[in-house]
Amino acid sequence: MAAERSVAARVVPDGLRSFLATETGSTLLLLGATLAGLVWANLPWHDTYDRFWETHFALVVGSHELGMGLKEWVNDGLMTLFFFVIGLEISREFKVGQLRNRRVVAVPAVAALGGMVVPAVLYYAVNAGGPGAGGWGIPMASDTAFVLGLLAVIGARCPQPLRIFLLTLAVVDDLGAISVVAIFYTEDLKLAPLVLAVVLFALIVAVRWLKVGRGPVYLLLGFLMWAAVLRSGVHPTIAGILLGVLVNVYAPPDTEKLRAGELVQRLQREPSPELAREARRSVASTVSVNDLLQHILHPWTSYVIVPLFALANAGVRLDPESLRRAATSPVTIGIVLGLVVGKFVGITLGTWIPLRLNWGELPGNLVWGQLLGGAAVAGIGFTVSLFITDLAFGDKPELESQAKIGILAGSVLAAALGWLIFRMAWNRGGVCAPPGTADEPDFEAEPLPPVTEHDHVLGPADAPVTLIEYGDYECPYCGAVQPVLDELRERYGDRLRLVFRHFPLQQIHPHAMPAALVAESAAAQGKFWEMHHVLFSHQLELNDRDLLGYSERMGFFPWENVKELERRVYKVKKAGWRAGVRGTPTFFLNGAEYQGPHELEPFVAAIDVMAEAARRSAAETAEGAAAADPTERPVDGDGDGDGGGDGQSRSS
């Protein structure tokens, strides 16, 4: 099963998979902090909870003082770092991630909009004209950590494409929630600090554009901007989002990544200070500042800041009197309706409308049962909901308490509804796709070319598993994996067909193309695999003289029909590129890209999965043929078809 996951997991980009893992890994800690806050606020000495979080801390520089209570430092200070990470993720998704594709982002964007508007409308309909009307923004936001954590518990019933859809939705949802905070929950606006914040922001942009600053410069300017926004009356977390969006993000070229790997390999063979410096610079250039900061900060925000925020804000009295008031409070009822009904209806409609109008598409073949389950669990609103509660009702303790009870109750009910839908209808409802497109193939990439007589093949055509390698004779990774492939051939014999296709990386491997041409010349003499192993055994000796020597020892001259051989290699490489090959070695198992470790046991596990799938497919085909022709009778061991055989029993 692990191997099956290693083959299929490549549907999700590495950065996105890391983000998902961090969010789901922090869910238990966040839940523990929430329960700790609730328990602390309901102990006999519950008054210590408020006293502790009201403890005053101040930063004093000369005659200037910046002082707040401990809870405010968490909400206005540390949570700025949380929203800074959200800004990093938004920037990355728009520039190199899911949100750069209009058709991919259209559906989750409209779904997120529906999931914000409908809950706000439901809440306001219940609270219009009352003292709690200002809390309409509370049920608008989903809590990504809790949502992804619950989906991880649900397991296989929640496919990976649904997680991608909900994560994209969460990015748009966070952007909308921050906009609401900035526009509608700002009071006592002070013009002078706001102008100063704008000037500092412009200065940061200029420093970034001129490339004259380093980390400490950005840190100082960012802190000053945060302090100015805090003084202006606008919530300071807006500074975090803006600064996060500014951070540079890029997708390094494949050649740059491959070159970095080659330099590291070369450093292992020929260590020197100069090569170490060059390798360090090359490796650093393959990771953008955005990715680096996410890698550093995301664990801190997920495992420390957000749980600390939950501990500081989840403490609400749950005594019988508080619960009785909450049960009839329009604030509590509005939040529960917004999170449970509003999110579900809004996201469902927001998905159905763009699909119906063919504005966009969903990742994978999601069915409506899965999407309805996702829409339900998106009603888990916690972090940002508590955040907006503090802004809306910070000066109204009773309404704040009722709002928090509503958030907790609504989130629990939304989780239960989602769990129920996934249990009962996760594989029902038909494919979510625009009319007439459910069975259409994906034309973004061409399929992997089938094996033909022009390929270099070891093993029979009827082998249940075909392993295709795109390789480069100068690539050290290709050379390192060859003993593993030889052992696989020895282990599986005729049950495995091994295919080699050329993919010379000429920009970083100057001898790769000449070596491929020599291998093709050897193939014309019926000696491809012999030359194949010679070339991989002499990866550091592939100049023209070396190649000529290998060819002469096998009895042929390699430089005949070079143009024709070159066209053949380029044709193979071009077809591989269209099928998604970008580096070497790249492997495909029965047409599915394998991205597990290049070691024996992971390969064995993946091949066994593919072999079992092929066996089941063959069995189903045979059963279908037998059902179609009832006159067919199985022949037993003695050939009379009576099933008696020779009287010996067999088990299968």
Side-chain angles (χ1 to χ4, degrees):
M1 199 67 179
E4 186 177 11
R5 285 196 299 270
S6 70
V7 175
R10 300 304 299 172
V11 174
V12 188
D14 291 340
L16 183 57
R17 200 163 58 250
S18 176
F19 184 87
L20 289 167
T22 305
E23 288 290 355
T24 54
S26 66
T27 303
L28 286 178
L29 187 58
L30 177 56
L31 180 61
T34 303
L35 294 176
L38 285 171
V39 170
W40 188 359
N42 286 276
L43 289 172
W45 49 88
H46 58 82
D47 55 320
T48 60
Y49 180 86
D50 290 329
R51 285 208 308 270
F52 176 79
W53 293 111
E54 289 170 0
T55 304
H56 187 79
F57 280 88
L59 291 176
V60 180
V61 179
S63 59
H64 300 281
E65 177 180 325
L66 181 61
M68 294 184 288
L70 187 56
K71 180 179 176 181
E72 290 176 294
W73 276 110
V74 172
N75 292 359
D76 297 347
L78 293 181
M79 286 298 286
T80 301
L81 201 57
F82 167 76
F83 285 104
F84 175 74
V85 173
I86 289 180
L88 293 175
E89 181 63 23
I90 290 172
S91 176
R92 189 182 194 284
E93 289 300 316
F94 269 108
K95 292 176 182 175
V96 299
Q98 297 282 336
L99 302 186
R100 63 177 176 166
N101 186 327
R102 183 189 65 81
R103 286 189 61 80
V104 172
V105 75
V107 180
V110 177
L113 183 63
M116 290 187 288
V117 172
V118 177
V121 170
L122 281 178
Y123 177 92
Y124 194 77
V126 175
N127 286 273
W136 55 269
I138 296 172
M140 292 179 64
S142 301
D143 192 286
T144 309
F146 271 128
V147 170
L148 295 178
L150 180 60
L151 294 182
V153 174
I154 290 170
R157 289 185 175 88
C158 173
Q160 199 67 33
L162 180 60
R163 291 182 173 88
I164 298 172
F165 170 77
L166 289 177
L167 183 61
T168 308
L169 183 149
V171 172
V172 180
D173 185 279
D174 287 336
L175 190 58
I178 289 301
S179 301
V180 167
V181 170
I183 298 171
F184 298 102
Y185 288 95
T186 294
E187 299 178 358
D188 301 326
L189 188 64
K190 298 175 183 176
L191 191 58
L194 185 60
V195 171
L196 177 59
V198 172
V199 171
L200 288 167
F201 182 75
L203 183 59
I204 293 171
V205 173
V207 169
R208 177 179 179 270
W209 182 68
L210 294 172
K211 298 180 181 179
V212 296
R214 293 185 176 273
V217 175
Y218 289 112
L219 185 63
L220 176 61
L221 292 175
F223 176 78
L224 293 175
M225 178 183 166
W226 169 81
V229 173
L230 178 66
R231 293 292 192 188
S232 73
V234 177
H235 202 275
T237 53
I238 305 301
I241 284 281
L242 293 175
L243 292 172
V245 170
L246 274 184
V247 175
N248 190 28
V249 58
Y250 59 86
D254 294 317
T255 54
E256 195 169 322
K257 292 186 287 186
L258 291 167
R259 174 173 169 74
E262 295 295 329
L263 283 171
V264 172
Q265 289 282 322
R266 187 178 163 196
L267 181 64
Q268 292 177 336
R269 299 193 301 265
E270 309 166 17
S272 69
E274 295 78 10
L275 191 57
R277 186 165 56 251
E278 185 181 359
R280 188 163 53 247
R281 283 200 301 265
S282 183
V283 170
S285 69
T286 64
V287 181
S288 69
V289 179
N290 183 294
D291 290 330
L292 182 62
L293 286 175
Q294 283 198 63
H295 178 74
I296 295 172
L297 296 177
H298 201 232
W300 282 98
T301 58
S302 296
Y303 289 100
V304 179
I305 293 176
V306 173
L308 192 60
F309 170 83
L311 181 64
N313 290 271
V316 58
R317 294 284 293 165
L318 297 179
D319 56 71
E321 179 61 22
S322 299
L323 294 175
R324 184 188 65 77
R325 291 180 180 176
T328 57
S329 166
V331 171
T332 306
I333 295 171
I335 292 173
V336 172
L337 277 176
L339 292 176
V340 180
V341 179
K343 278 287 184 182
F344 181 78
V345 173
I347 291 175
T348 302
L349 284 177
T351 304
W352 181 81
I353 290 172
L355 287 177
R356 186 70 180 174
L357 298 177
N358 199 16
W359 291 350
E361 57 198 27
L362 291 174
N365 291 322
L366 294 174
V367 299
W368 278 104
Q370 296 161 354
L371 191 130
L372 293 177
V377 299
I380 302 175
F382 190 75
T383 304
V384 179
S385 294
L386 287 175
F387 189 78
I388 297 178
T389 296
D390 183 66
L391 298 177
F393 301 136
D395 56 347
K396 301 172 184 176
E398 187 171 341
L399 292 182
E400 184 179 16
S401 173
Q402 294 166 6
K404 289 181 179 180
I405 292 174
I407 292 170
L408 295 173
S411 297
V412 170
L413 290 174
L417 177 61
W419 178 275
L420 186 63
I421 293 174
F422 277 116
R423 293 284 294 181
M424 299 179 63
W426 68 278
N427 60 349
R428 300 178 185 175
V431 177
C432 307
T437 65
D439 297 323
E440 292 180 6
D442 180 9
F443 290 101
E444 291 185 0
E446 293 185 5
L448 186 72
V451 179
T452 69
E453 66 273 12
H454 300 297
D455 279 309
H456 306 296
V457 182
L458 284 176
D462 60 352
V465 179
T466 296
L467 175 60
I468 298 176
E469 176 190 8
Y470 282 87
D472 173 318
Y473 286 116
E474 202 174 357
C475 167
Y477 307 109
C478 297
V481 80
Q482 287 312 300
V484 175
L485 299 179
D486 292 339
E487 192 165 345
L488 289 174
R489 276 283 301 151
E490 183 177 347
R491 174 178 292 208
Y492 286 96
D494 288 347
R495 293 179 296 148
L496 177 66
R497 180 169 59 160
L498 184 64
V499 180
F500 181 84
R501 289 175 176 170
H502 298 290
F503 201 83
L505 303 171
Q506 295 156 273
Q507 291 184 340
I508 57 175
H509 295 152
H511 303 113
M513 178 56 83
L517 297 179
V518 167
E520 287 300 305
S521 295
Q525 312 299 319
K527 299 178 179 180
F528 173 81
W529 290 104
E530 183 180 350
M531 179 62 76
H532 178 83
H533 283 91
V534 168
L535 294 174
F536 273 129
S537 300
H538 298 82
Q539 284 193 298
L540 300 180
E541 300 166 326
L542 294 178
N543 60 40
D544 289 347
R545 180 180 298 177
D546 296 325
L547 295 175
L548 182 60
Y550 306 146
S551 303
E552 288 178 343
R553 284 197 288 273
M554 291 187 192
F556 67 91
F557 183 71
W559 309 127
E560 295 178 355
N561 302 320
V562 170
K563 291 295 182 183
E564 176 60 29
L565 296 177
E566 197 171 52
R567 278 195 295 270
R568 187 183 304 170
V569 172
Y570 273 124
K571 183 178 179 181
V572 172
K573 182 177 180 180
K574 186 176 181 181
W577 182 271
R578 288 176 173 173
V581 180
R582 294 295 181 267
T584 57
T586 296
F587 295 99
F588 292 87
L589 278 169
N590 284 1
E593 186 177 355
Y594 170 81
Q595 290 272 0
H598 296 167
E599 298 167 1
L600 180 64
E601 291 309 317
F603 266 119
V604 168
I607 291 171
D608 288 344
V609 168
M610 290 297 179
E612 176 63 18
R615 186 194 66 77
R616 290 179 180 176
S617 178
E620 291 172 0
T621 302
E623 290 176 3
D629 187 359
T631 62
E632 290 281 339
R633 298 180 61 190
V635 179
D636 59 12
D638 58 7
D640 60 7
D642 62 4
D646 58 2
Q648 294 179 345
S649 62
R650 295 179 299 170
S651 62
S652 61

